[in-house]
Amino acid sequence: MKKAVLILFTAVSIFMSCSENESRVKTTDNKTQGKRDQIFVVSTITIINDIVKNIGREKVKTHSICGVGIDPHTYHATPVDPKLVSKSDIIFINGLNLEHWMEEMIKFAGGAKRVETVTTGITPLTDDKGFGDPDPHAWFDARNIKVYADNIAKGLISIDPENEAYYKSNLEQYILAIDSLHEWILREINSIPEDHRVLITSHDAFRYFGKAYGMDVKGLQGISTEAKVQTEDVKNLIDFIKSKNLKSVFIETSVNPKLLEQISSETNANIGGTLFSDSIGNEDSPEGTYIGAVRHNVNTIVNALK
Ligand SMILES: [Zn+2]
């Protein structure tokens, strides 16, 4: 079923590429007035939206469909979403089955739209709970963000080729920042004693992070918060925490913390802090960028487990 949706969505994306010339004509018209209007870019999640801002800077006006703290797995469209989608020059989605609601939204938006999948080129991890679904949380391996940024730059250049050098220069700078973030995460996680490097969270959003930076990760829910938590899942996680004598578990800004708080109360593990998983922080806070949110996560994890 999910595969069918994915195939359909790819078909929609290909069809929508045909609107490219339309966008180009519009931006060229604006230039005749002496000042080019910004491109309007819609992203599905705040993480992608932040990367768009870094690559597009003052050439783009941006909007994230899922706002700060919103869970993209269970998102329900608001009446304003299709309107913004229909006004957009280009839409960036994560893909890997994260935004299964997007196809419907584009249908409601009524117009052919340019849709780019920012994970194109990334080999996804799959769900280890036996469903074989791709794990959408590729953004937590910082090296994957370079692929996201590259795809975003290509998308922006395709609708605004006159500013190619500008986008490419911003991309280069952003990639340098991401490279140093990646090195910093490695050093920080390495400072945690090896047997404490276990990350327990509400849902399986950190498997790419664990693989890239050497942590065991375990989520109460699977890779989607749509999965129902069984009593057995709770019991297994409690047993696991007790057997490893883990001292902290972590809640997430976009997921209800209730069950994890219950697990914490039934074990010796405290709540080590709140992590950003499927959303970054408020725009005017230090965690309001991908880099800031990841730095917050790593500092929180290190402080709790060291
Ligand atoms: Zn998630």
Side-chain angles (χ1 to χ4, degrees), residues 169-188:
S169 153
N170 293 347
L171 173 66
E172 268 171 41
Q173 284 178 46
Y174 192 62
I175 282 180
L176 286 178
I178 293 298
D179 278 336
S180 69
L181 178 75
H182 176 70
E183 294 302 321
W184 177 79
I185 304 169
L186 281 173
R187 281 197 305 276
E188 288 298 311

Side-chain angles (χ1 to χ4, degrees), residues 73 137 203 205 223 278:
H73 300 285
H137 308 90
H203 88 301
I223 57 174
D278 297 358

Side-chain angles (χ1 to χ4, degrees), residues 18-74:
C18 302
S19 70
E20 187 182 335
N21 289 338
E22 215 177 349
S23 299
R24 196 174 289 157
V25 169
K26 203 171 103 197
T27 44
T28 309
D29 283 350
N30 293 334
K31 211 189 159 197
T32 56
Q33 292 159 15
K35 192 169 178 279
R36 173 189 286 275
D37 271 358
Q38 292 168 307
I39 298 167
F40 182 43
V41 184
V42 166
S43 302
T44 48
I45 55 172
T46 54
I47 295 147
I48 299 173
N49 193 50
D50 175 57
I51 307 168
V52 172
K53 285 184 192 170
N54 275 280
I55 310 298
R57 299 197 194 175
E58 69 263 29
K59 307 281 185 211
V60 297
K61 189 168 170 284
T62 63
H63 174 73
S64 176
I65 294 174
C66 295
V68 168
I70 301 295
D71 178 356
H73 300 285
T74 55

Side-chain angles (χ1 to χ4, degrees), residues 171-243:
L171 173 66
E172 268 171 41
Q173 284 178 46
Y174 192 62
I175 282 180
L176 286 178
I178 293 298
D179 278 336
S180 69
L181 178 75
H182 176 70
E183 294 302 321
W184 177 79
I185 304 169
L186 281 173
R187 281 197 305 276
E188 288 298 311
I189 299 302
N190 266 324
S191 74
I192 303 171
E194 224 173 317
D195 56 339
H196 291 191
R197 285 182 213 159
V198 184
L199 186 59
I200 307 283
T201 56
S202 303
H203 88 301
D204 263 330
F206 294 91
R207 292 164 73 240
Y208 290 89
F209 182 87
K211 192 161 183 258
Y213 304 109
M215 289 195 84
D216 281 340
V217 297
K218 237 183 190 359
L220 178 58
Q221 279 175 295
I223 57 174
S224 173
T225 55
E226 288 177 300
K228 293 262 183 300
V229 179
Q230 312 288 339
T231 321
E232 206 185 313
D233 299 328
V234 176
K235 192 187 163 295
N236 287 345
L237 193 55
I238 289 174
D239 289 347
F240 180 79
I241 292 167
K242 284 181 174 169
S243 73

Side-chain angles (χ1 to χ4, degrees), residues 258-286:
K258 233 173 96 185
L259 274 173
L260 219 62
E261 284 167 351
Q262 182 200 329
I263 285 170
S264 163
S265 73
E266 290 182 33
T267 61
N268 287 328
N270 62 12
I271 301 287
T274 307
L275 304 181
F276 294 98
S277 53
D278 297 358
S279 162
I280 57 176
N282 282 319
E283 205 177 349
D284 49 2
S285 71

